[in-house]
């Protein structure tokens, strides 16, 4: 049976849009595009081999997610996160992680537990060969994996937006210090191991409270630091 091109073409366009959005978002989160970087719609459209109209839509979505800011007549820039905003986001994220394991829940599958086991193993390996970029990718992987414990789409969308809005902050703090990076890897490894233990016995309530506790402790360390930036030794994810 032949596939109707009128159906496949929009699907391909959506997939291309999503892939482009994910790639540019990753560049922002991993600090390939640092805060204040000016992005060129024309150059990005050329790089991704798409017209400027869909690229404009990609950038508009990233702006809606708080990762970009457009100034009329000036350009589009990667945003930074103000301390007050960061505090508000983390207070909200602290509550959302409980909903992710109590609202429209999906019981952990053997495949999900196996992926979590791999994350724990990779965290231990990362302790031997620390790399801030690899750590950031591993943290993102765990976040997205645990988000599969809920099928509530509005909750998933909001959680993703808040996570990617602020996950750059800790990377900026630890990227230049191996000591700080190792400390953060240790904290992550402990959290991942605790979550794995809870998943293996199917205790989703414990998973939510473990994650909430780690966010709360991170925010407490951040609040104790009276300055414009979070503390270098605070695990702000």
């Amino acid at each position: 049976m032949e596939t109707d091109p009128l159906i496949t073409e929009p699907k391909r366009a959506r997939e291309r849009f999503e892939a482009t959005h994910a790639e540019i978002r990753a560049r922002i989160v991993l600090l390939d595009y640092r805060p204040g970087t000016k992005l060129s719609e024309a150059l990005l459209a050329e790089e991704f081999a798409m017209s400027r109209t869909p690229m404009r839509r990609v950038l508009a979505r990233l702006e809606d997610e708080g990762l970009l800011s457009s100034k009329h007549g000036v350009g589009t820039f990667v945003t930074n996160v103000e301390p007050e905003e960061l505090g508000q986001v983390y207070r909200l994220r602290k509550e959302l992680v409980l909903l992710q394991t109590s609202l429209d829940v999906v019981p952990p599958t053997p495949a999900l537990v196996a992926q979590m086991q791999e994350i724990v193993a990779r965290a231990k390996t990362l302790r031997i060969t620390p790399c801030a970029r690899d750590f950031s990718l591993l943290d993102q992987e765990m976040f997205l994996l645990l988000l599969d414990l809920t099928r509530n789409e509005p909750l998933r969308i909001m959680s993703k937006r808040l996570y990617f809005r602020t996950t750059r902050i800790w990377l900026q703090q630890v990227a230049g210090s191996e000591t700080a990076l190792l400390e953060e890897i240790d904290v992550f490894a402990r959290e991942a191991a605790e979550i794995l233990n809870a998943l293996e016995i199917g205790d989703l309530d414990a998973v939510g409270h473990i994650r909430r506790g780690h966010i709360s402790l991170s925010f407490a360390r951040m609040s104790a630091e009276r300055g414009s930036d979070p503390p270098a030794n605070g695990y702000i994810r």
Side-chain angles (χ1 to χ4, degrees):
M1 180 182 296
E2 294 186 4
T3 304
D4 188 344
L6 295 179
I7 297 176
T8 58
E9 193 55 39
K11 181 180 178 181
R12 289 172 184 165
R14 286 194 301 273
E15 291 174 347
R16 192 174 185 184
F17 175 90
E18 293 296 336
T20 302
H21 167 267
E23 172 60 26
I24 297 177
R25 182 183 66 187
R27 294 179 184 183
I28 294 172
V29 170
L30 294 171
L31 302 180
D32 295 333
Y33 298 151
R34 300 187 70 86
T37 299
K38 183 177 180 180
L39 301 186
S40 168
E41 177 187 302
L43 291 178
L44 287 171
E46 181 180 355
E47 178 186 351
F48 287 92
M50 61 169 53
S51 68
R52 294 183 65 169
T53 297
M55 178 54 69
R56 192 173 299 120
R57 289 176 50 234
V58 170
L59 298 181
R61 178 170 166 182
L62 291 165
E63 182 175 4
D64 184 53
E65 293 169 347
L67 297 174
L68 296 178
S69 176
S70 294
K71 299 179 181 179
H72 184 67
V74 180
T76 299
F77 299 85
V78 177
T79 61
N80 207 338
V81 182
E82 297 300 325
E84 181 180 355
E85 178 190 3
L86 185 65
Q88 292 174 347
V89 167
Y90 275 92
R91 282 191 290 273
L92 178 55
R93 283 195 62 206
K94 188 172 67 173
E95 306 308 319
L96 290 182
V97 291
L98 295 180
L99 292 177
Q100 290 167 21
T101 51
S102 62
L103 186 62
D104 298 325
V105 297
V106 179
T109 63
L112 186 145
V113 173
Q115 286 178 269
M116 194 65 208
Q117 290 171 337
E118 182 183 350
I119 288 173
V120 170
R122 286 162 57 194
K124 293 178 181 177
T125 301
L126 201 57
R127 183 65 175 77
I128 302 172
T129 55
C131 170
R133 187 183 184 91
D134 290 346
F135 181 31
S136 180
L137 290 171
L138 187 61
D139 182 75
Q140 291 178 42
E141 186 176 330
M142 186 172 79
F143 168 79
L144 293 172
L145 177 66
L146 295 177
L147 203 55
D148 286 341
L149 293 173
T150 177
R151 65 172 62 90
N152 187 289
E153 195 57 28
L155 174 59
R156 290 170 57 86
I157 291 172
M158 180 182 296
S159 298
K160 281 183 182 179
R161 288 193 175 193
L162 294 177
Y163 173 83
F164 286 110
R165 177 77 176 95
T166 55
T167 190
R168 301 169 285 166
I169 301 303
W170 74 265
L171 185 58
Q172 294 180 59
Q173 298 298 314
V174 304
S177 170
E178 184 173 334
T179 299
L181 177 59
L182 287 172
E183 290 176 356
E184 306 312 327
I185 293 173
D186 284 342
V187 173
F188 175 87
R190 289 195 297 272
E191 178 187 8
E194 291 172 7
I195 290 172
L196 174 60
N197 290 336
L199 287 173
E200 288 177 332
I201 61 175
D203 191 346
L204 294 187
D205 185 58
V207 171
H209 282 88
I210 289 167
R211 299 182 68 200
R212 187 182 189 278
H214 277 268
I215 291 176
S216 182
L217 288 172
S218 297
F219 182 66
R221 290 194 296 268
M222 178 187 67
S223 299
E225 183 78 10
R226 301 301 296 177
S228 59
D229 296 316
N233 64 343
Y235 190 53
I236 307 301
R237 292 188 289 117

